Amino acid sequence: MKPGPKAELESLRRQVEHHNRLYHQLDKPEITDQDFDRLFQRLLQLEAEHPELVTPDSPSQRVGSAPLGSFAQVKHARPMLSLDKVFDEEDLKRFEERCKKRLGGDTDLVYSCEPKIDGVAVSIIYENGILARAATRGDGTTGEDITHNVKTVKSIPLRLVGASIPAVLEVRGEIFMTKSGFAAMNRDAEAKQERTFVNPRNAAAGTLRQLDSRITATRPLTMFCYSASAGNEGELPDELEAIFQRLGAWGLPLNSLRRTVSGIAECLAYCHEVLAQRNSLDYEIDGVVVKVNSLAQQQALGMNARTPRWAMAYKFPAEEVATTLLDVEFQVGRTGTITPVARLEPVFVGGVTVSNSTLHNMDEVERLGIRIGDKVIIRRAGDVIPKIVMVMRDQRPAQTRVIVAPERCPVCDSPVLKDEGEVSLRCSGGPVCQAQLEQSLIHFASRTAMDIEGLGSKLVEQLVAQTLVMNLADIYKLDEATLTNLERMGAKSAQNLLANIDRSRTVSLPRFLYALGIRDVGEATALNLANHFGSIEALLNASEAALIEVPDVGPVVAGRVAEFFAEPRHRALLQQLLDAGVRPAEQQVAPRESLPLAGETWVVTGTLEALDRNQAKAVLQRLGAKVAGSVSARTTCVVAGPGAGSKLATAESLGIKVIDEAEFLALLARHDSAVEKA
Ligand code: IVH
């Protein structure tokens, strides 16, 4: 007898999910892609005919759905903790000693170890085996509901299979993008002249924050689970490894490199093994997580403020590799600064292929004692740009070339100047220098400035080379006929670009000020200036004395701003922009009080990974906080990275709130988008 649609759908769903798992998780497909497509198409067709039979766990839900308006907040049943970190073997041994001391025994502990994945932490709740909700870590207590996005990740089952599945099961783990998937996605984006991502972690984070899950569905995300808990006691085994076995049997994705070891010596051996494999893995890791295997011991060890005492992250050193300095080029920036840039024999380090690295200035060249032809060591840690850290002097080849500072601009041939008291060289050509013009245009159009998507460096080069754009205001004179005459520019792209250019006419005042590219006026300063003066007209006529009144504007910046607006060429440019219909929205003067961190004083100490201290300072200021250099009773909160010393100690003794980088980033994610939208 032919099965009814309900039974057939049920069977199709199971088959599709089964083959999904074989393909995406186990890498062992048993049927051809065509056969899989046939099953999937049949499923879609039958569901279309019987919409009342569509279930939330149907694989059809993986294609994504119409965009959400915003993310709902989700309170975690138990806080999502961070991990303490150690950077060397001695500190890891001390971790074991502390555990033993607390547990009051001297027998070796058993640990569950696995690579620390550089991705995004998520919590997924299964109710009666069906994926019910997924959330980000957020600040550890409250995250964002990203169920719509997580459902599109093919290695995450929508329905668990097998026996003894707890009625409510929460699994936590890391969602990430493979290196190969990331590279393919960026190649694709480049070909379409779309935005590319910096690294797999940012790409994964950005993808999970998509409101439109149809976009998420096209991105190569995947996941490893690293912990689980059940709604009722006794529903899960009492050892981590045994829990992992169950999770695997239910169809959840796990890292196959995980290992249960006994004693810290075995742990260290495991860490070395993983470190040796690091570059050959198709995902980014930044260390190993060591967890006490027994849940009873975990319970007995308990936790610190935000970290469990039973787990430790053993962080790998920043990656370093050797390569050769092929040449040094001098690049001209938008303010005319001339920077020596190292051209390197391409090497893969820290998840990206590096072929260039800035040498900053001639003082740095001298400090490194570097010559063209030298073998050098480059380092790349996290999001930090790759850097030459050392020259291998003992391997210097017979033929090397000394790096000589240029006397004339390599682009426009104007004389090169060196400002008093500064290390950098500067092209004196101003706007006649094509490089300065190009860089100003790229900066103007960039995401954090006027946000003109589609106006990237390749296009800017063409526009400048063909003298179609000779200053910032010329952007607003472009038309479809001119654009479609350019290389790689179809009618559709041209129309999109023109729409984006048009949209930029009404940017916010802080963005507009930042976009002008006034020396030393970054995003935070631009915001402060906008908040203080409220309109471009008011700022245009401000004296240096009035400028110094602005928070965080000192005499140097005040001088730069006054000088910029006093320059007749700049006033003419502003007029042209206004004539072209650019009308930066007036800013409510002094809405500082309404900013989320208004009235608060923050201190940043220790090393942060995702952003440097200046960036952290800038975002805090953007959110209305004052950033201080030292901790006092008036400090609201301290952001402490590893290596934090006396400031952290002072904060603790004064009972001032201290947060780590993960919490800080979560807080920014919550507030920053709010500010961005405003
Ligand atoms: S276990 C108490 N295992 O690292 C938290 N975490 O720095 C237990 N992470 O927020 C976490 N890979 O998102 C664990 N194999 C792994 C991990 C891992 C990455 C992340 C996790 C956590 C962060 C802490």
Side-chain angles (χ1 to χ4, degrees), residues 42 57 128 150 213 237 280 362 635:
R42 173 72 189 143
D57 66 327
N128 299 316
V150 168
S213 54
S280 58
M362 290 307 286
T635 308

Side-chain angles (χ1 to χ4, degrees), residues 501-539:
I501 291 175
D502 189 41
R503 186 150 10 94
S504 77
R505 286 188 160 96
T506 53
V507 274
S508 66
L509 183 57
R511 279 173 172 272
F512 180 72
L513 291 178
Y514 173 62
L516 290 176
I518 306 167
R519 251 177 105 186
D520 290 334
V521 175
E523 284 176 82
T525 308
L527 179 69
N528 286 335
L529 289 168
N531 281 340
H532 192 85
F533 290 101
S535 72
I536 191 82
E537 289 74 18
L539 181 58

Side-chain angles (χ1 to χ4, degrees), residues 91-207:
D91 282 340
L92 192 62
K93 287 183 189 153
R94 275 194 274 281
F95 160 68
E96 154 135 289
E97 282 157 23
R98 282 198 301 274
C99 288
K100 282 185 178 171
K101 206 161 145 202
R102 281 193 178 264
L103 292 172
D106 201 30
T107 49
D108 271 353
L109 290 173
V110 176
Y111 301 100
S112 167
C113 303
E114 55 182 0
K116 185 169 189 301
I117 310 293
D118 209 0
V120 181
V122 292
S123 144
I124 305 180
I125 297 188
Y126 287 90
E127 287 172 1
N128 299 316
I130 298 200
L131 192 157
R133 204 179 59 213
T136 58
R137 177 178 186 276
D139 62 4
T141 311
T142 311
E144 284 176 329
D145 189 330
I146 50 164
T147 314
H148 62 301
N149 285 330
V150 168
K151 277 187 162 183
T152 69
V153 179
K154 310 259 185 335
S155 58
I156 300 176
L158 298 176
R159 176 209 291 245
L160 304 179
V161 292
S164 318
I165 300 168
V168 177
L169 175 75
E170 178 180 2
V171 290
R172 291 180 178 175
E174 204 82 353
I175 292 193
F176 59 96
M177 207 174 264
T178 57
K179 291 180 190 168
S180 54
F182 168 76
M185 187 181 89
N186 263 358
R187 272 198 304 274
D188 196 44
E190 231 161 65
K192 292 191 199 143
Q193 300 210 338
E194 286 170 2
R195 284 174 185 166
T196 53
F197 284 101
V198 196
N199 59 33
R201 194 213 5 218
N202 286 356
T207 301

Side-chain angles (χ1 to χ4, degrees), residues 10-27:
E10 186 80 357
S11 148
L12 282 166
R13 282 183 197 127
R14 281 178 199 275
Q15 291 180 63
V16 170
E17 274 304 80
H18 172 70
H19 292 298
N20 239 338
R21 176 154 185 252
L22 288 174
Y23 185 90
H24 287 286
Q25 222 177 302
L26 306 174
D27 216 6

Side-chain angles (χ1 to χ4, degrees), residues 81-83 114-117 121 137 174 226 289 291 308 310:
L81 303 174
S82 329
L83 289 170
E114 55 182 0
K116 185 169 189 301
I117 310 293
R137 177 178 186 276
E174 204 82 353
Y226 55 62
V289 183
K291 293 170 253 190
W310 44 263

